[in-house]
Amino acid sequence: MSESLTKRATRRWRMGALLPLGAALSGIAVAAEAPPAEGAGEEIVLKDVKVKAARDKKTSAYKADTASTGGKIAMPLRDIPQSVSVVKKELMQAQNAFNLRDALKNVSGLTIAAGEGGRTGDSITLRGFSANSDQYLDGVKENGQYSRDTFFLERAEVLKGASSILFGRGTTGGVINQIFKKPTGKNQVIGDFTYGTYDFKRSAIDAEGAYDNLSARLNLMWQDSDSFRDYNDLNRWGIAPSFQFKISPDTELTASLLHQEEDGVFDYGVPIYRGKPAEVPINRYYGFTDNRMQDTDVNVATVALSHRFNEALSVKNTVRYGDYERKYLTHLFGAVTDTGLTSTVARTQALRANNQENLYNQTDFVLKKPIFGFNNTLMFGAEFGWENYDYKSKNSTGVPSISIFNPVLTPSVGSGLATDFSGTLATDRYTETRTYAGYLMDQFELTPEWKLLAGVRYDVFSAAQNDRLNNANDFGRIDRQWNPRAGIVWQPTKAQSYYFSYGTSFNPSAEAYSLSETTNTLPPEKNRNFEIGAKYDLFDGKLSATAALFRLEKNNARTASPTNPDLTVLSGEQRTDGFELGLAGEILPRLDLSMTYAYLDAEVSRSNSTAVGTVSGDTKSLQGMIPVNVPRHSGVTWLSYHLTDAWEIGGGVFYSSERHTDTVNEVTLPGYARLDAVLAYHQKHYDVQLNMFNLTDTVYYESGQTRSALPGAPLSGQLSVRVKF
């Protein structure tokens, strides 16, 4: 693959930004003017009439009734034969969850991981499998490497289990689908201002208005903060406008743009010592005081056009262009020289840059038409996607080791600092991927109590890699894959829903933009999910209870060849058995609850691969090991009680049992329980809210790798003021 090809591809992508991109359809209401009554000219005196209207049932702040992630249209959660978690903006606001990863801590079976390999930004494990590339925005892929803010989000939906029929490659443990804040037709302005410990400052504005057939919404965000970690700081700002234009009663155009910039510090925390995070102050930093660059620039543009042909048939075409630029200096730990209190840890540093460009076009048809007298919803469509990924890395030289228990920091690594990408590079590659897919999915109502959901998707996924350092590493391959899905739902009453589902997914070799001689010739890994569950509405629909029992299997995972360790074969197996419980809604008048729990029994059930333990120094087989970053028990309980119409008090516990961060289970992050609280005062035109985090000042670790662990924040607080016009 030549350099000229790369330049032509880049120009093609930039032109792609000018293409149209997204939409939603809404109906119209026509009111007929009532005819004049008889005797309209006569004066009529009526007796006093007392009208007693029932108070509208308040929808719980934390309970969702529908989701758009279980199908190609918004569907009632009770009709989806799969586990779906919805984190609404009200819960994010109550917890001051300003990052997507903080919002997703409310999702059962999901854990936040440290970036693996060259990956940075949001890194997520779902039901024991990596979900790094399974990020979506309004149902269309949005998988760039950056830390996602929540200022533009209405809510986050997580569909669990293998789901390639809906989303194509990946989706082993499920998908994370962000829902963009769209115009609602209101005229209002909401301003949020927050100040907290460690000089945390944040402002956000949500303004919207409507005129005739056009409505618009603008979200703005600015954040500047230090950290409990030494030499850490973060500056972030973003803008997210969205527009909705009603071309006709049956045709609508929507458009949105997300721009987010950030500069901060690449920091994976403290070193691992003897299989656990070193017992050092959690604020201790081991990098270089001046060389702490991590810059991100994200642009995501979406346009959608939707049209309703008649009462039965509608179509939506969405086009999305994404551009993700990231440049940063890594700081990673190496081997430990264990001499007790004088122990040292090796360090590495690299200058890295990655630029990713996406262009996706997705067309979805929905046909709601009875067949043989039975209600039926047919969904079918196609997806075309292109992704270009350019990645460079240059190592700094002469990086010294540092004392674990008595570190002495220096401004820079010295003359060996990598400041640009001239000279000798460690990595310089360009990868292109192409997706062509079509799907067909049908929801058939046998009776009002029994519903079937079944479908299939066919994907053609091609990838080509140009290694600019060694042409011998240039590879390419094409994968063709069928993925079915089937489910049955039984709803004996309006309050009860029971289901069984089966789904599959696939992981091609170049899923994460990396091909090698050992993986280039391998077909995709294949996964399947079996799930049985129940969804139950209590207290006249104010509270929902969910339960799911599942098995998720990867039957032909990539593993080392038993005859030649330098080769990779598809002979590994990994599985996760587990169950999840959830409660969301109003459990008593004025008392709202969001509670989730997950039990995950994950294991590498077959593998020919081995790894050297960083604690024992022994070579161990991966077979029988627990996968990285999978706690056996985890959950969140969050309560909010309205003492009066004005005063609200709440809080919750975030819990996780211990988990391993290395493949041979010698490195362990301890389990923890973190207690948060909130006190709020609500008025018509303003709110005041105080959030306290980690009330017991527990030392815990949010994520980790084989050589490092990132501590969670200690006791801290934030005061927020919301102004509404």
Side-chain angles (χ1 to χ4, degrees):
M1 189 181 300
S2 65
E3 194 73 28
S4 61
L5 175 62
T6 302
K7 294 179 179 178
R8 288 198 301 272
T10 300
R11 288 195 296 269
R12 184 170 69 249
W13 291 120
R14 304 212 187 279
M15 292 183 65
L18 303 177
L19 295 175
L21 297 172
L25 180 63
S26 62
I28 59 172
V30 179
E33 184 178 349
E38 293 185 14
E42 301 178 6
E43 183 177 349
I44 301 175
V45 179
L46 300 177
K47 295 180 178 180
D48 291 341
V49 178
K50 294 183 179 181
V51 179
K52 191 174 183 179
R55 182 181 178 182
D56 293 337
K57 183 176 69 174
K58 176 182 177 292
T59 301
S60 170
Y62 304 152
K63 177 180 178 291
D65 296 316
T66 64
S68 58
T69 309
K72 290 297 183 178
I73 57 175
M75 299 173 63
L77 289 173
R78 67 194 305 268
D79 290 348
I80 301 173
Q82 210 161 333
S83 181
V84 181
S85 294
V86 179
V87 183
K88 298 173 65 177
K89 67 177 180 181
E90 290 85 354
L91 184 56
M92 299 183 202
Q93 291 170 356
Q95 298 175 352
N96 269 13
F98 297 134
N99 298 303
L100 178 63
R101 60 179 177 270
D102 290 333
L104 294 178
K105 291 175 183 176
N106 294 284
V107 176
S108 58
L110 185 149
T111 48
I112 307 301
E116 301 298 332
R119 185 176 178 87
T120 53
D122 293 329
S123 188
I124 295 167
T125 300
L126 188 55
R127 283 190 172 177
F129 295 86
S130 173
N132 288 341
S133 63
D134 300 326
Q135 302 269 7
Y136 291 78
L137 180 62
D138 290 331
V140 182
K141 188 173 281 291
E142 198 276 299
N143 60 342
Q145 298 181 31
Y146 70 105
S147 296
R148 290 162 174 80
D149 201 281
T150 57
F151 79 100
F152 64 95
L153 294 185
E154 187 70 26
R155 58 184 183 174
E157 300 177 350
V158 179
L159 177 70
K160 300 167 190 175
S163 309
S164 280
I165 183 175
L166 293 170
F167 300 99
R169 79 178 195 264
T171 69
T172 306
V175 300
I176 297 96
N177 186 25
Q178 307 163 87
I179 307 300
F180 205 100
K181 287 181 179 177
K182 302 177 183 65
T184 63
K186 299 178 181 178
N187 291 290
Q188 64 179 9
V189 177
I190 299 175
D192 289 286
F193 309 93
T194 302
Y195 183 79
T197 49
Y198 308 109
D199 201 24
F200 181 96
K201 301 179 292 292
R202 180 182 171 98
S203 300
I205 295 176
D206 183 355
E208 58 177 319
Y211 177 77
D212 200 11
N213 293 328
L214 177 65
S215 55
R217 190 169 185 174
L218 176 65
N219 281 272
L220 298 166
M221 174 274 302
W222 171 83
Q223 179 177 317
D224 181 73
S225 62
D226 291 333
S227 169
F228 71 95
R229 296 274 302 153
D230 292 343
Y231 300 100
N232 269 241
D233 56 72
L234 175 67
N235 183 273
R236 175 190 294 171
W237 73 275
I239 180 171
S242 59
F243 304 90
Q244 209 167 55
F245 180 58
K246 196 169 188 178
I247 300 173
S248 74
D250 294 319
T251 307
E252 192 170 81
L253 179 73
T254 64
S256 64
L257 172 68
L258 168 64
H259 175 79
Q260 181 179 315
E261 290 187 26
E262 176 179 312
D263 62 84
V265 178
F266 184 99
D267 180 20
Y268 276 169
V270 303
I272 295 294
Y273 180 68
R274 297 179 180 177
K276 294 183 179 181
E279 293 186 7
V280 297
I282 60 172
N283 64 302
R284 181 167 291 174
Y285 182 68
Y286 290 84
F288 299 97
T289 57
D290 293 341
N291 304 136
R292 298 174 289 126
M293 176 186 65
Q294 184 169 227
D295 297 335
T296 305
D297 191 335
V298 173
N299 294 281
V300 180
T302 310
V303 174
L305 179 67
S306 59
H307 177 71
R308 183 176 59 187
F309 296 98
N310 50 51
E311 292 298 326
L313 180 62
S314 62
V315 64
K316 179 180 179 180
N317 179 261
T318 306
V319 183
R320 167 165 299 150
Y321 173 79
D323 179 84
Y324 311 88
E325 296 183 4
R326 193 174 185 91
K327 187 176 182 181
Y328 54 103
L329 274 168
T330 69
H331 170 249
L332 300 174
F333 295 115
V336 170
T337 302
D338 190 351
T339 56
L341 293 178
T342 60
S343 296
T344 60
V345 60
R347 297 179 295 176
T348 62
Q349 185 190 70
L351 176 66
R352 293 177 179 172
N354 57 267
N355 175 249
Q356 178 182 338
E357 290 187 281
N358 292 0
L359 181 62
Y360 274 88
N361 186 298
Q362 188 169 298
T363 304
D364 302 303
F365 289 88
V366 178
L367 177 63
K368 295 183 177 181
K369 189 172 184 179
I371 297 180
F372 306 119
F374 298 97
N375 290 333
N376 186 73
T377 301
L378 180 66
M379 295 163 276
F380 59 96
E383 177 182 281
F384 304 95
W386 297 262
E387 298 181 26
N388 291 347
Y389 185 75
D390 198 326
Y391 176 66
K392 294 181 174 67
S393 178
K394 181 181 179 181
N395 294 329
S396 295
T397 59
V399 183
S401 298
I402 192 170
S403 171
I404 295 176
F405 300 103
N406 189 28
V408 177
L409 302 185
T410 58
S412 170
V413 66
S415 60
L417 174 66
T419 57
D420 56 40
F421 292 104
S422 61
T424 302
L425 301 184
T427 308
D428 187 5
R429 66 171 182 263
Y430 176 79
T431 307
E432 293 182 345
T433 70
R434 304 291 181 260
T435 297
Y436 309 93
Y439 74 92
L440 178 69
M441 188 164 54
D442 189 66
Q443 185 185 56
F444 189 75
E445 188 174 300
L446 296 172
T447 70
E449 294 80 24
W450 290 92
K451 297 175 182 178
L452 296 176
L453 182 67
V456 68
R457 172 173 168 138
Y458 181 69
D459 277 89
V460 178
F461 178 77
S462 64
Q465 175 179 287
N466 174 23
D467 191 326
R468 301 186 181 102
L469 301 181
N470 186 354
N471 291 335
N473 292 330
D474 291 353
F475 295 114
R477 66 169 288 112
I478 299 177
D479 294 309
R480 297 174 174 85
Q481 187 69 41
W482 290 95
N483 282 284
R485 178 194 189 192
I488 185 169
V489 181
W490 178 45
Q491 298 168 336
T493 68
K494 291 184 178 180
Q496 302 176 66
S497 184
Y498 307 94
Y499 67 88
F500 171 79
S501 67
Y502 168 80
T504 65
S505 66
F506 74 108
N507 301 99
S509 300
E511 179 183 6
Y513 314 116
S514 179
L515 286 166
S516 66
E517 186 176 1
T518 60
T519 61
N520 174 52
T521 58
L522 293 178
E525 298 175 313
K526 297 179 181 179
N527 320 285
R528 57 184 184 176
N529 184 74
F530 302 90
E531 185 171 325
I532 184 171
K535 302 175 184 180
Y536 204 99
D537 284 338
L538 304 167
F539 307 142
D540 194 26
K542 295 181 180 179
L543 179 70
S544 67
T546 60
L549 180 68
F550 61 87
R551 164 165 280 201
L552 184 54
E553 300 175 337
K554 184 184 289 291
N555 289 319
N556 53 346
R558 287 182 281 270
T559 185
S561 167
T563 58
N564 186 349
D566 294 330
L567 298 179
T568 303
V569 295
L570 293 180
S571 63
E573 292 183 359
Q574 181 179 332
R575 60 113 186 102
T576 301
D577 294 327
F579 68 87
E580 299 173 352
L581 301 173
L583 283 173
E586 187 179 87
I587 56 176
L588 290 173
R590 297 181 176 270
L591 181 60
D592 289 310
L593 167 70
S594 175
M595 185 179 74
T596 62
Y597 168 77
Y599 170 83
L600 301 177
D601 180 14
E603 182 184 14
V604 178
S605 50
R606 189 172 70 173
S607 177
N608 296 317
S609 297
T610 60
V612 177
T614 55
V615 177
S616 67
D618 298 334
T619 300
K620 297 183 178 181
S621 170
L622 301 191
Q623 184 166 315
M625 298 297 174
I626 299 173
V628 171
N629 199 44
V630 184
R632 178 149 296 191
H633 305 277
S634 61
V636 177
T637 297
W638 186 271
L639 286 164
S640 178
Y641 182 63
H642 290 264
L643 299 167
T644 68
D645 289 340
W647 287 98
E648 177 186 359
I649 189 171
V653 176
F654 298 79
Y655 166 75
S656 174
S657 61
E658 68 176 24
R659 58 207 187 277
H660 300 290
T661 63
D662 67 328
T663 57
V664 292
N665 297 172
E666 291 189 354
V667 179
T668 304
L669 296 185
Y672 69 90
R674 190 192 84 194
L675 177 63
D676 292 359
V678 61
L679 175 66
Y681 180 71
H682 304 288
Q683 290 294 299
K684 181 178 180 180
H685 293 295
Y686 70 91
D687 300 320
V688 180
Q689 179 173 309
L690 174 65
N691 286 82
M692 297 299 297
F693 309 102
N694 196 1
L695 286 173
T696 58
D697 205 20
T698 299
V699 175
Y700 71 101
Y701 298 87
E702 287 193 334
S703 61
Q705 293 185 315
T706 302
R707 302 285 188 179
S708 62
L710 184 63
L715 174 64
S716 53
Q718 293 174 353
L719 181 65
S720 302
V721 177
R722 166 170 292 184
V723 183
K724 299 171 283 186
F725 300 98

